Amino acid sequence: MLELPAYVRGLALDTKHIERIYTMTTLSPRKLYSFYINDVQAAGLKAVKQAEDISESEQIRQAINAWLRKWERKGVITKAERVRRPGRTRS
């Protein structure tokens, strides 16, 4: 029988049909920011989430990236070098 990780054992799963369980981790570290938005902005984020199934936090990340690209084009900031992780080795 398939041995399930501890975080899954309590769930009711049909283990006969599970071949593999994958866990994903974030590739780039994220930093927590806390800020206020007004009611109109919050309603807009929720409307997009309903229509397009994009979380509010992802919408905010995309908006920040667009804002930063604007300032990169103007030459005010430079694009940070992408940190690359070493390649995976196969065993």
Side-chain angles (χ1 to χ4, degrees):
M1 182 166 175
L2 176 67
E3 181 64 29
L4 297 175
Y7 66 89
V8 177
R9 285 188 196 126
L11 302 176
L13 294 175
D14 181 5
T15 57
K16 288 187 249 177
H17 297 95
I18 296 176
E19 292 181 15
R20 293 184 181 103
I21 295 177
Y22 295 96
T23 57
M24 302 287 291
T25 58
T26 309
L27 296 178
S28 62
R30 293 186 179 169
K31 195 168 185 86
L32 177 64
Y33 277 82
S34 179
F35 52 88
Y36 293 101
I37 60 174
N38 64 38
D39 293 339
V40 174
Q41 292 168 328
L45 291 171
K46 288 185 188 308
V48 172
K49 180 179 181 178
Q50 285 269 314
E52 301 295 325
D53 196 30
I54 301 173
S55 70
E56 291 97 330
S57 56
E58 181 58 28
Q59 293 176 58
I60 292 168
R61 278 190 288 276
Q62 290 180 19
I64 291 171
N65 287 338
W67 175 258
L68 292 174
R69 281 192 300 272
K70 171 187 170 184
W71 290 102
E72 286 171 7
R73 285 191 301 271
K74 290 183 175 188
V76 175
I77 60 174
T78 58
K79 187 173 186 175
E81 286 295 315
R82 183 174 170 192
V83 177
R84 297 200 178 257
R85 297 173 66 184
R88 294 174 57 182
T89 59
R90 296 184 185 254
S91 53

